[in-house]
Amino acid sequence: MQVYEAIAARKSVRKYLPKPVEPEKLNAVLEAGRDAPSARNLQTWRFVVVQDKELLEKLVPACGNQKFVGEATAFLAVCSDDVHEMTCNQLAAPVDCSIALSFMMLRATEVGLSTCWLGHFYEDQVKALLNIPAEYRVIAVTPLGYAAEEPAARPRKPLSELVAYEDKWL
Ligand SMILES: Cc1cc2nc3c(=O)[nH]c(=O)nc-3n(C[C@H](O)[C@H](O)[C@H](O)COP(=O)(O)O)c2cc1C
């Protein structure tokens, strides 16, 4: 699968089969996160993998009762303890962790797995359930597993609404 094929094929999946994720596929996904770029190459991200069914069920309320979190056979949480701000006034950690999760989601697509980026989660609850140290922030989480649905592509704005050229702002 070419990169753009994975980009185009990825969809947020909210129904999962009870089929476990094979260790080699999980590893392939994690390796893609490891390969991601990060500010100053600090790689402060940490990836928490959950496959224990009981823990997955406990994550459902921590993720705002999104039931599919308990259906998927794996779950990834991307965390960082980095608090440094870049010259551009953005925190590096959410940027780095978001890139890492994006890379992992694309690799997941390539190996036949599905994901759904979740922002609707209670960080304190996720941290408590997964024993994530206090100084770490949980930036993003996703279920990971085999899709039980084929969602249609969601609409995207046309480039004409999104792109400015040179000094001619939209
Ligand atoms: C930062 C972020 C937070 C999101 N949070 C949730 C969420 O909590 N629950 C959910 O079902 N989808 C969530 N989504 C998925 C979006 O709804 C989805 O990406 C969007 O509708 C486009 O659909 P697609 O991913 O299938 O292309 C989130 C996506 C992003 C990038």
Side-chain angles (χ1 to χ4, degrees), residues 30-139:
L30 295 167
E31 286 283 0
R34 196 171 77 93
D35 283 339
S38 61
R40 289 158 52 198
N41 200 26
L42 288 175
Q43 305 162 68
T44 63
W45 47 53
R46 298 293 179 266
F47 310 136
V48 182
V49 179
V50 182
Q51 292 181 288
D52 178 80
K53 182 69 185 155
E54 238 175 78
L55 206 42
L56 289 166
E57 293 289 353
K58 287 185 185 161
L59 283 164
V60 173
C63 295
N65 287 324
Q66 299 187 85
K67 299 269 178 278
F68 55 89
V69 169
E71 277 177 15
T73 50
F75 179 92
L76 298 177
V78 184
C79 324
S80 172
D81 64 347
D82 181 30
V83 292
H84 101 267
E85 220 174 72
M86 299 178 284
T87 312
C88 61
N89 297 330
Q90 299 289 340
L91 288 169
V95 177
D96 292 347
C97 290
S98 296
I99 298 169
L101 185 54
S102 299
F103 275 35
M104 289 194 278
M105 288 168 75
L106 291 178
R107 184 74 166 126
T109 304
E110 188 183 36
V111 299
L113 296 168
S114 293
T115 55
C116 182
W117 192 301
L118 302 182
H120 185 41
F121 67 89
Y122 301 102
E123 187 189 20
D124 52 341
Q125 294 181 29
V126 170
K127 282 177 72 167
L129 284 168
L130 305 184
N131 269 318
I132 295 170
E135 64 274 21
Y136 277 79
R137 299 297 311 267
V138 182
I139 309 291

Side-chain angles (χ1 to χ4, degrees), residues 1-11 102 105-107 109-110 156:
M1 192 179 256
Q2 298 291 313
V3 175
Y4 192 72
E5 288 176 300
I7 291 171
R10 185 215 54 81
K11 305 281 178 311
S102 299
M105 288 168 75
L106 291 178
R107 184 74 166 126
T109 304
E110 188 183 36
R156 292 294 194 267

